[in-house]
Amino acid sequence: MPILSPADQEYLRQVFVERLRDPITIQLFTQRVTQISIPGYECATCRETNQLLEEVAALSEKITLEMYDLLQEGAKGREAGVEEIPAIILKGHNKGTLRFIGVPAGYEFATLIEDIIDVSRGTTELSPLSRETLAKLAQPVHIKVFVTPTCPYCPGVAKLAHMMAIESEKVTADVIEVSEFPHIAQRYRIFAVPKVVINESLEFEGARPEAAFVAMVESVARAQAEPEQDSSA
C-alpha cells in the first residue's frame, strides 16, 4: 500500500515539474536484509523510509535514488560519515553536506521536499548578509538539529540548518529524528525539540531567527579558529 495518497503524488509531481531545475541524487543508507538481526544494526524505520523515497523519486525524472545497505556496503557508509540508519544524503548544487537521520515523516516531510527543490536549484531563501557570513566561515561547522515528526517548530530550524549547508562548503547539517534513536537522545540530553548542537560546543533549544542562528554558527567557527591562530603566532 502506498504511503503517499494519489492526491499527494499528483500534487508533488506538479510541484517538481514547476520547481525542479537540475537533476539531484538522493543517497539512502538503509537495511535491506531484514531477516538478519545484528545488535546495533536493527532498523525499525528502514522499510518505511525505503518505500517513501522510492515513491518520491518516482514522481520526477530529475530525481535519482541510490540505495545502499549499510551491512553490505559499510565502507561506502563510512566514507559518507553515516553512523545511523536510515540516513539520507541529498546531492545536487549544494556546497556543503545535508543529511536526514531517521525517517522524514510528519512535519519533516515538507522539509525534505523543500530541500530537494533547493538542492536542484542551488538557491535558498537566506538573506544576502547570511550568505556573505557563511562564505567567510573560518572553520568547518557541523550542525545537528534534533527533531520529532510531531513538532511544529522543528521544520523551520531544520530548514535553516540545511539552507546553510547548501550555501557553504564548510557546513554539514544533520536533521536527526531523535525519537528513533534513544541512545542519541540520552547522549545529548534531549528533553525538548527542536534542539541544536553546533560543533559539540554550543547548544540551544527552540527556534531562532535566521540572523541569530547564522551568528551562532559564525561565532563557533571563529572561536575554534582563534586557538589555531594563537598557537601559530
Side-chain angles (χ1 to χ4, degrees):
M1 179 177 178
I3 294 175
L4 298 175
S5 69
D8 288 340
Q9 291 184 33
E10 183 55 35
Y11 170 76
L12 290 174
R13 186 177 290 108
Q14 188 60 36
V15 166
F16 290 153
V17 167
E18 294 175 357
R19 301 186 64 189
L20 292 185
R21 189 183 73 186
D22 295 325
I24 76 151
T25 298
I26 303 175
Q27 292 185 333
L28 171 60
F29 290 85
T30 184
Q31 183 180 32
R32 290 192 181 122
V33 189
T34 55
Q35 68 269 26
I36 296 178
S37 180
I38 299 177
Y41 283 93
E42 297 88 351
C43 181
T45 61
C46 279
R47 185 187 298 274
E48 176 186 358
T49 306
N50 298 356
Q51 181 179 344
L52 178 63
L53 292 187
E54 286 176 342
E55 291 182 17
V56 169
L59 299 176
S60 173
E61 62 182 13
K62 292 183 177 180
I63 301 174
T64 298
L65 175 62
E66 298 177 352
M67 298 178 67
Y68 302 98
D69 188 318
L70 194 63
L71 291 175
Q72 300 176 351
E73 300 172 273
K76 184 76 173 179
R78 289 189 294 274
E79 180 184 339
V82 172
E83 298 178 353
E84 308 286 351
I85 53 175
I88 301 164
I89 302 175
L90 301 183
K91 293 194 170 186
H93 287 303
N94 48 303
K95 297 175 182 176
T97 302
L98 58 160
R99 300 184 285 224
F100 286 91
I101 312 299
V103 58
Y107 286 107
E108 291 309 324
F109 181 69
T111 305
L112 172 66
I113 298 303
E114 291 169 6
D115 284 344
I116 287 172
I117 294 167
D118 286 350
V119 168
S120 169
R121 300 178 68 86
T123 59
T124 72
E125 297 177 355
L126 290 181
S127 70
L129 178 59
S130 292
R131 292 174 183 166
E132 181 180 348
T133 300
L134 292 167
K136 297 178 180 178
L137 289 179
Q139 289 287 314
V141 176
H142 190 172
I143 307 169
K144 297 179 180 179
V145 182
F146 300 97
V147 303
T148 61
T150 57
C151 166
Y153 305 104
C154 290
V157 181
K159 175 69 172 170
L160 272 175
H162 275 174
M163 286 195 292
M164 289 187 229
I166 291 172
E167 296 286 355
S168 173
E169 63 183 10
K170 291 188 176 179
V171 175
T172 296
D174 293 339
V175 174
I176 303 167
E177 205 288 87
V178 72
S179 63
E180 293 182 35
F181 307 102
H183 61 288
I184 295 180
Q186 183 177 14
R187 182 193 316 164
Y188 288 96
R189 305 180 303 279
I190 309 296
F191 301 110
V193 291
K195 180 171 182 175
V196 175
V197 177
I198 305 172
N199 277 15
E200 307 295 328
S201 63
L202 183 152
E203 60 183 58
F204 63 88
E205 293 179 352
R208 295 290 190 278
E210 174 187 323
F213 197 167
V214 172
M216 291 179 187
V217 168
E218 191 277 334
S219 69
V220 170
R222 176 164 32 86
Q224 296 192 352
E226 288 171 354
E228 293 187 4
Q229 296 173 355
D230 292 343
S231 64
S232 63

